[in-house]
Amino acid sequence: MSISKCKSVLKELRIGDKIASIPIVQGGMGVGVSLSRLAGAVAKEGGVGVISTAQIGYEEEGFENNQAECNLRAIRKHIKRAKEIACGKGLVGVNIMVALKHYKDHVKEAVAAGADIIISGAGLPMELPELVGEGNSTKIAPIVSSKRAAQLILKMWSHKYNRTADLIVIEGPKAGGHLGFSNEQLADMDNLNFDDEIKQIIDCKKEYEEKYSKEIPVIVAGGIFDSSDIAHAIELGADGVQIASRFVATKECDASEAYKQAYINATQKDVKIIKSPVGMPGRALNNAFIKQLENGPKPIKKCYNCLEKCNPKNVPYCITKALIDAVKGDVDNGLVFCGANVGRIKEMTTVHQLMQELVQGV
């Protein structure tokens, strides 16, 4: 499909009473990769800017001693800042991983801070409607990678809370960070018919659209790189797309310059599927840190209380320390998550230029 045709099929993204003029969701990236600066810039362009709450308070005073309080303080601060940057345009959301130790607190704090939408994955967000509660305007969106997961969540939410999703994010096998696929599936992606899975998920949500007399937009994520990918997702029946990796190589991204440069310098051969302490496969750059892990685990000297099911005695490394080291600039000795298409990123740009390219072509 041509870029001009892609432009003609793009429509505004309506999530209940909330509207983003451009149906592009910037994927939430932690630790510290997508904070208020990036999310606010994306929202200002009319998209959905997303802040990751994973150890969001790592730069706050007192973080070493009280991660929980610093993270809550930072959630409030970054949502406020992002909305100020957005100047009333687009939407500002948060990505909150179910696997977090303080998941419930993060959700409640994001609602209190006025997040437009909470996007939740890295586990099944079965309790999300209860945590968000009623009497507020915050929308809820699960991240799913299969029809089965979508059905489980939608059925549970309907049965237990008499509520359904406001948006669904379908994350495919080419995404960065934590992945909802087995190692076997990831090793054989060429034979994984994910387009069919997307269509099945779109079909299964129709029952709940009818029951609750509302539209449930679907966003496709994972490997979305350019306008032709956007057009393909819309052809499948999606209402928009989520893009993460491409926003790293922008001037507004909250990561260090060294982190951004690591993306620009990366080739396809530098990408590797790793085992994360979260208990899920993850996609990252195969740097010195990853190669050292092949020789054995890295001793954990301090627990940062990030993951609900993490036992420092049993995991191969501290994911908080690895991610913070990387985002601050030590990209050789830290963990650098990335999408499958990172090798196609060749230069630094701005959020405005990238959004224009994605929608109009250059």
Side-chain angles (χ1 to χ4, degrees):
M1 180 177 289
S2 67
I3 288 174
S4 60
K5 181 67 177 297
C6 177
K7 286 176 61 179
S8 69
V9 298
L10 280 181
K11 300 178 181 178
E12 63 185 13
L13 178 63
R14 288 181 172 268
I15 311 173
D17 58 349
K18 296 182 182 292
I19 300 174
S21 60
I22 297 177
I24 294 177
V25 179
Q26 161 252 312
M29 297 171 283
V31 170
V33 179
S34 64
L35 298 177
S36 51
R37 190 162 178 240
L38 176 56
V42 174
K44 188 175 182 179
E45 294 296 322
V48 181
V50 179
I51 296 164
S52 168
T53 72
Q55 299 294 44
I56 187 174
Y58 79 100
E59 292 184 306
E60 297 291 313
E61 183 178 354
F63 178 77
E64 287 294 321
N65 297 320
N66 192 339
Q67 295 85 39
E69 173 55 36
C70 288
N71 285 333
L72 295 181
R73 187 194 316 154
I75 289 172
R76 296 191 295 270
K77 180 176 77 175
H78 283 288
I79 290 175
K80 180 181 179 182
R81 282 184 180 175
K83 292 204 164 193
E84 290 172 350
I85 294 170
C87 298
K89 300 177 182 178
L91 302 176
V92 173
V94 292
N95 179 293
I96 308 178
M97 298 196 306
V98 177
L100 295 178
K101 181 171 289 188
H102 297 102
Y103 172 71
K104 296 179 180 179
D105 295 332
H106 283 209
V107 171
K108 292 177 181 179
E109 195 63 47
V111 172
D116 289 313
I117 185 167
I118 292 173
I119 299 172
S120 193
L124 300 180
M126 292 303 197
E127 299 178 2
L128 186 56
E130 178 181 351
L131 298 175
V132 170
E134 300 177 356
N136 61 75
S137 65
T138 301
K139 307 304 181 183
I140 55 176
I143 299 175
V144 299
S145 294
S146 67
K147 176 185 176 182
R148 180 175 179 274
Q151 287 177 321
L152 282 171
I153 293 168
L154 294 176
K155 184 176 181 180
M156 172 64 79
W157 285 6
S158 180
H159 174 74
K160 190 172 182 180
Y161 305 110
N162 193 32
R163 184 170 178 177
T164 193
D166 298 302
L167 179 79
I168 296 173
V169 177
I170 305 175
E171 193 167 86
K174 293 183 179 180
H178 297 111
L179 304 167
F181 297 87
S182 68
N183 285 312
E184 291 73 22
Q185 288 175 311
L186 295 170
D188 194 25
M189 284 196 302
D190 291 340
N191 292 318
L192 184 63
N193 185 4
F194 200 68
D195 282 1
D196 188 55
E197 195 75 28
I198 291 171
K199 292 177 182 178
Q200 290 184 44
I201 294 171
I202 291 172
D203 283 341
C204 84
K205 57 102 177 182
K206 292 177 181 177
E207 170 188 345
Y208 298 92
E209 288 181 318
E210 293 176 3
K211 180 175 181 178
Y212 292 96
S213 301
K214 63 180 287 184
E215 292 185 3
I216 306 174
V218 168
I219 298 296
V220 169
I224 307 295
F225 190 86
D226 55 24
S227 55
S228 64
D229 295 325
I230 297 173
H232 179 67
I234 292 173
E235 281 184 320
L236 293 174
D239 300 280
V241 297
Q242 178 175 287
I243 300 172
S245 291
R246 291 210 66 188
F247 284 103
V248 172
T250 61
K251 294 180 180 178
E252 295 89 347
C253 177
D254 296 273
S256 66
E257 293 306 308
Y259 192 99
K260 300 175 189 182
Q261 199 61 45
Y263 267 53
I264 294 171
N265 294 340
T267 68
Q268 295 303 110
K269 294 181 179 179
D270 294 322
V271 180
K272 185 178 178 67
I273 300 298
I274 65 166
K275 181 180 180 180
S276 167
V278 170
M280 305 168 72
R283 179 174 281 111
L285 292 183
N286 189 23
N287 58 6
F289 174 79
I290 298 300
K291 292 172 184 176
Q292 289 169 9
L293 287 173
E294 295 175 359
N295 298 321
K298 296 181 75 67
I300 297 176
K301 299 178 181 179
K302 177 182 176 62
C303 178
Y304 287 88
N305 301 298
C306 59
L307 302 176
E308 177 64 36
K309 296 182 180 181
C310 177
N311 182 342
K313 296 180 180 179
N314 299 328
V315 296
Y317 59 94
C318 173
I319 193 168
T320 284
K321 185 179 186 306
L323 289 170
I324 290 176
D325 286 347
V327 79
K328 285 184 173 181
D330 191 355
V331 294
D332 290 325
N333 300 300
L335 178 59
V336 183
F337 278 139
C338 65
N341 287 324
V342 66
R344 296 173 63 186
I345 299 173
K346 300 301 181 184
E347 60 185 4
M348 189 73 70
T349 186
T350 66
V351 167
H352 175 72
Q353 290 169 335
L354 177 56
M355 292 287 277
Q356 289 294 307
E357 174 196 332
L358 291 169
V359 174
Q360 300 176 354
V362 176

